[in-house]
Amino acid sequence: MNPSRLFILRPVATSLLMIGVLLVGIVAYRQLPVSALPEVDYPTIQVMTFYPGADPTVIASSVTAPLERQFGQVPGLSQMTSTSSLGASVITLQFNLDQSIDIAEQEVQASINSAGTYLPADLPNPPIYSKVNPADAPIMTLAVSSDTLPLPKVEDLADTQLAQKISQVTGVGLVSISGGQKPAVRIQANPTALASYGLSLEDVRTALAAANVDQAKGTLDGPRQSFTIGANDQLLSGAQYRPIIVAYRNGGPVRLDNIAAVTDSVENTEQSAWMGQGSVLSPAVIVNIQRQPGANIISVVDKIKLLLPQLQSSLPAAVKVSILTDRTETIRASVKDVEFELSLTVGLVVMVIFLFLRNLRATIIPSVAVPLSIVGTFGVMYLLGYSLNNLTLMALTISTGFVVDDAIVMVENIDRFLEAGDSPLDSALKGAGQIGFTIVSLTVSLIAVLIPLLFMGDIVGRLFREFAVTLAVTILVSAVVSLTLTPMMSARLLKSKGAHKEGRFYEWSERLYDRVIQGYGRTLKWVLQHQTATLLVTAGTLVLTLFLYVVVPKGFFPVQDTGVILGISEGPQNISFKAMSERQQQLARAILKDPDVSSLSSFIGIDGTNLTLNSGRIQINLKPRDERSATGFDRRGPRKPHAISVLDGRYRSERGRGLVAKIDATTSFSDSACRCC
């Protein structure tokens, strides 16, 4: 049975089929999302509970412990971690990778409802849960600042105009705001004044709750007309709160401003954020943008950049929007580099084929099969929901050697019949029929090697599954091309050996190859005559290999410089917010003095990432590699740029004043390649 016979005898149909595969692959390539790594969803849910004024001990016993007892009964839970800090409890639940996040979300909600009776009755709000992905870092970070407008007004503009418009961009999943200060009215009661009037804080609270409502007032229904009462008792500013009558004493009203200081302030005074560009550090609202799962990172960022000028024009002139971090810069460079290497690999393969075949017609056949197999793989990748990332592109690069093997085996076997004097058509039919089963067996054996990667579990398996499947699909497409297009082209392009005379290049290279073969024969003869020495060299090579395996640095992914550094600052447990703010600004200014630093964003306060008031975080953006004073790698990994080296000494000097800084340099795919502190 000859599977290639139909395709050899139907060259037009075969050509149209391959053109269709090529077009499908090109269209799919333009639709494939681009990312640094394959999309891996970690089924993780974070539960946050705020209990203002409670110390960590009270939070742990009255909030965290009851919730943990209920969460421990959720099926599929693989890991649970919790942090109890001043006024906040954060519990992170990580489920098995095969667990549906939607089902886990329902179980978590049921557990929160069950724990409601055990939680403090005066909790301002019930626990809040949200689905999070620890591996989904923001693709872009913006800073919104103003030299004249107050920060609460800037936060209001960023929340109501900027964030909402960006959220509407196709591919944007989440837009979060850090350091924002939402407007609020703060009332600070005077204990002495309260005691003189015989009032308590509960009396003040009751009066405020009764005066500040926004509820239905009812209707007035008369014989002819009906009126709906539309009065709004909601108070929005401190000036509206001050005249509130709390009680009557000695026949006169006791107003709120008689017993308390009423000011227009913000909801949370213990959150602050700054942006730094050049040598200037200023308060700002930090906007972090995350993409939707499966969205094209580069396309999403391009759309946001295209929208920013319109958003800037809609904001007041005093408000500035700056791009601090753009994660796509390294992704673009990485993908572009891999694409160049893939093209270079294909070119080198074609050149090597020509040097050994020394026949332009014979070289064209595998030269067409290689790119066609790679492009055809894009169509399958699109159907499987894969993306163009470092691992899939690496699989395509590696597959180039496998892809060309099938085509060369087919061409060589057909060429053997041509040398015997058969016509090109008969040679193609005989050669394809004889070698077809061999190509199928080669394909099956190569795919069998990838089976361990296909069935590998946990995070590593999820990441390398796209790599293994992409490589397997490319090999499979290569086998199909080698059984269809390659023999058909051989029947049309190759000529009988007696029909033409070999050129000078062929004769010169033939003499060169003969000398190479003779040299190999002499070296083989010497090896066979010195078998003991050969065995000793083999044993020494094995020992050296084992030694190098031990000393060579190991890691989950190759080291890569992304130009972004994540810093965590930590102060004493009893540090005040004002002191922590001063230290954080000193640290940020010291970082900005480094010539390798382009910009930074800094934040302190309690949110979903920072869990204590004495901790802060800094995201440092380095200049491009060409503009830095020191870059490179050593045997331990990435060599620290001049920025980090200089900062080490500054951090140690700050440490003596109660501040410790830890730096995680995001110089690998996993955002945590090296640490210095």
Side-chain angles (χ1 to χ4, degrees):
M1 180 179 179
N2 187 356
S4 304
R5 181 180 181 84
L6 179 64
F7 299 97
I8 295 174
L9 299 178
R10 299 288 186 272
V12 176
T14 304
S15 301
L16 292 176
L17 176 62
M18 293 299 111
I19 292 174
V21 172
L22 181 65
L23 293 178
V24 169
I26 293 174
V27 173
Y29 173 78
R30 299 176 64 88
Q31 300 297 324
L32 285 173
V34 181
S35 60
L37 286 176
E39 186 69 28
V40 178
D41 292 329
Y42 298 80
T44 305
I45 294 179
Q46 189 178 74
V47 182
M48 300 182 63
T49 310
F50 295 100
Y51 193 14
D55 61 46
T57 304
V58 174
I59 291 290
S61 59
S62 63
V63 177
T64 305
L67 290 173
E68 286 179 339
R69 284 193 293 268
Q70 298 298 324
F71 293 148
Q73 304 174 19
V74 175
L77 182 65
S78 62
Q79 184 179 5
M80 177 169 57
T81 58
S82 63
T83 301
S84 301
S85 59
L86 181 63
S89 168
V90 179
I91 302 176
T92 303
L93 309 172
Q94 186 170 336
F95 297 87
N96 298 327
L97 289 176
D98 56 354
Q99 177 80 5
S100 173
I101 189 65
D102 296 326
I103 296 177
E105 186 179 11
Q106 297 175 8
E107 296 286 347
V108 169
Q109 178 62 66
S111 299
I112 292 176
N113 296 336
S114 301
T117 56
Y118 304 102
L119 298 176
D122 57 342
L123 273 180
N125 297 293
I128 303 171
Y129 69 92
S130 60
K131 294 181 289 186
V132 298
N133 189 352
D136 195 5
I139 60 175
M140 178 178 281
T141 301
L142 306 177
V144 186
S145 61
S146 176
D147 297 332
T148 57
L149 294 179
L151 204 57
K153 179 63 175 177
V154 175
E155 194 276 342
D156 183 63
L157 292 171
D159 188 20
T160 58
Q161 297 188 30
L162 190 67
Q164 291 187 9
K165 290 295 184 181
I166 293 177
S167 299
Q168 297 173 5
V169 175
T170 304
V172 173
L174 177 65
V175 180
S176 58
I177 296 178
S178 300
Q181 299 183 347
K182 294 184 179 180
V185 177
R186 304 188 72 86
I187 300 173
Q188 296 177 329
N190 186 338
T192 304
L194 287 175
S196 64
Y197 286 106
L199 298 173
S200 64
L201 289 176
E202 183 62 23
D203 296 329
V204 177
R205 191 196 67 80
T206 303
L208 293 176
N212 185 25
V213 294
D214 187 13
Q215 298 177 349
K217 305 299 187 297
T219 60
L220 299 176
D221 193 8
R224 296 183 179 181
Q225 290 181 319
S226 177
F227 294 93
T228 301
I229 303 175
N232 185 358
D233 295 339
Q234 190 172 14
L235 307 180
L236 302 176
S237 65
Q240 295 175 340
Y241 274 90
R242 293 188 184 98
I244 292 178
I245 298 176
V246 178
Y248 288 90
R249 293 292 185 269
N250 300 324
V254 179
R255 302 186 182 276
L256 184 61
D257 57 354
N258 298 136
I259 57 175
V262 183
T263 57
D264 290 318
S265 184
V266 295
E267 285 185 3
N268 190 349
T269 58
E270 296 184 342
Q271 277 190 358
S272 292
W274 300 270
M275 62 164 289
Q277 285 185 322
S279 59
V280 180
L281 183 68
S282 58
V285 176
I286 306 300
V287 181
N288 293 313
I289 305 170
Q290 294 174 298
R291 69 181 177 105
Q292 290 179 348
N296 191 323
I297 295 181
I298 294 178
S299 176
V300 173
V301 171
D302 289 341
K303 291 177 182 177
I304 295 174
K305 289 183 176 179
L306 190 63
L307 181 64
L308 281 180
Q310 303 177 22
L311 297 178
Q312 179 70 72
S313 62
S314 65
L315 297 173
V319 178
K320 301 177 183 178
V321 180
S322 306
I323 299 177
L324 294 182
T325 306
D326 181 2
R327 292 272 182 174
T328 62
E329 293 181 357
T330 54
I331 296 176
R332 293 174 198 267
S334 177
V335 173
K336 183 179 179 181
D337 185 59
V338 176
E339 289 177 343
F340 170 76
E341 292 179 357
L342 178 59
S343 303
L344 180 62
T345 302
V346 174
L348 291 175
V349 167
V350 173
M351 183 185 69
V352 171
I353 293 173
F354 176 74
L355 291 177
F356 280 89
L357 295 181
R358 294 158 293 171
N359 187 328
L360 184 60
R361 292 173 177 266
T363 304
I364 292 176
I365 299 172
S367 301
V368 173
V370 172
L372 183 60
S373 301
I374 294 176
V375 174
T377 306
F378 293 139
V380 182
M381 290 174 59
Y382 177 78
L383 294 177
L384 295 175
Y386 290 171
S387 63
L388 285 175
N389 53 70
N390 289 281
L391 291 182
T392 53
L393 288 174
M394 182 172 63
L396 294 174
T397 305
I398 294 174
S399 68
T400 305
F402 299 132
V403 165
V404 75
D405 287 344
D406 295 337
I408 290 179
V409 169
M410 178 65 74
V411 172
E412 285 288 346
N413 198 58
I414 294 174
D415 187 71
R416 185 168 62 87
F417 286 95
L418 288 173
E419 291 179 350
D422 293 338
S423 65
L425 181 60
D426 292 338
S427 299
L429 291 172
K430 293 178 181 180
Q434 189 179 75
I435 206 69
F437 179 77
T438 303
I439 291 178
V440 173
S441 62
L442 283 173
T443 302
V444 174
S445 62
L446 288 174
I447 295 177
V449 175
L450 301 173
I451 290 178
L453 286 178
L454 292 173
F455 292 96
M456 187 180 296
D458 207 6
I459 302 298
V460 179
R462 288 288 187 93
L463 287 173
F464 282 94
R465 187 165 300 164
E466 285 195 22
F467 169 83
V469 172
T470 302
L471 185 55
V473 169
T474 308
I475 295 173
L476 188 61
V477 174
S478 167
V480 174
V481 173
S482 299
L483 292 174
T484 56
L485 182 65
T486 301
M488 187 275 292
M489 294 183 65
S490 299
R492 297 299 183 275
L493 295 180
L494 298 182
K495 295 181 179 181
S496 300
K497 293 300 181 181
H500 66 282
K501 183 181 179 181
E502 303 294 350
R504 294 182 179 179
F505 175 75
Y506 184 92
E507 295 177 354
W508 174 81
S509 60
E510 188 68 21
R511 291 193 297 269
L512 177 63
Y513 292 153
D514 289 340
R515 287 196 293 269
V516 172
I517 293 174
Q518 293 173 3
Y520 169 71
R522 289 192 297 269
T523 56
L524 180 61
K525 183 178 179 180
W526 185 91
V527 168
L528 294 176
Q529 292 175 351
H530 302 80
Q531 297 182 10
T532 303
T534 303
L535 292 176
L536 290 176
V537 171
T538 304
T541 304
L542 178 61
V543 173
L544 181 61
T545 301
L546 296 176
F547 172 75
L548 292 177
Y549 173 78
V550 174
V551 300
V552 168
K554 303 172 183 63
F556 189 54
F557 278 111
V559 176
Q560 183 185 29
D561 185 359
T562 62
V564 179
I565 301 175
L566 300 180
I568 301 174
S569 59
E570 184 177 347
Q573 293 289 337
N574 59 348
I575 192 172
S576 66
F577 178 79
K578 182 178 180 181
M580 186 66 189
S581 175
E582 294 175 354
R583 303 285 175 83
Q584 189 80 357
Q585 294 182 66
Q586 293 174 6
L587 186 62
R589 291 190 178 94
I591 295 173
L592 287 174
K593 293 179 181 178
D594 192 275
D596 292 337
V597 174
S598 172
S599 62
L600 63 81
S601 59
S602 176
F603 174 83
I604 59 172
I606 296 178
D607 62 354
T609 304
N610 281 8
L611 305 180
T612 59
L613 287 174
N614 67 320
S615 63
R617 61 179 185 267
I618 301 179
Q619 181 169 291
I620 308 169
N621 306 303
L622 301 179
K623 294 179 179 179
R625 288 173 58 90
D626 299 338
E627 302 177 14
R628 297 185 213 161
S629 57
T631 57
F633 299 89
D634 56 26
R635 63 179 297 271
R636 296 170 297 178
R639 258 201 323 265
K640 291 187 294 185
H642 182 65
I644 302 179
S645 302
V646 173
L647 293 177
D648 279 345
R650 292 175 180 162
Y651 293 153
R652 294 190 182 96
S653 65
E654 292 288 337
R655 210 178 274 173
R657 294 183 294 185
L659 184 65
V660 178
K662 300 177 181 179
I663 293 298
D664 288 337
T666 56
T667 49
S668 76
F669 294 120
S670 58
D671 288 353
S672 57
C674 66
R675 168 170 290 189
C676 58
C677 60

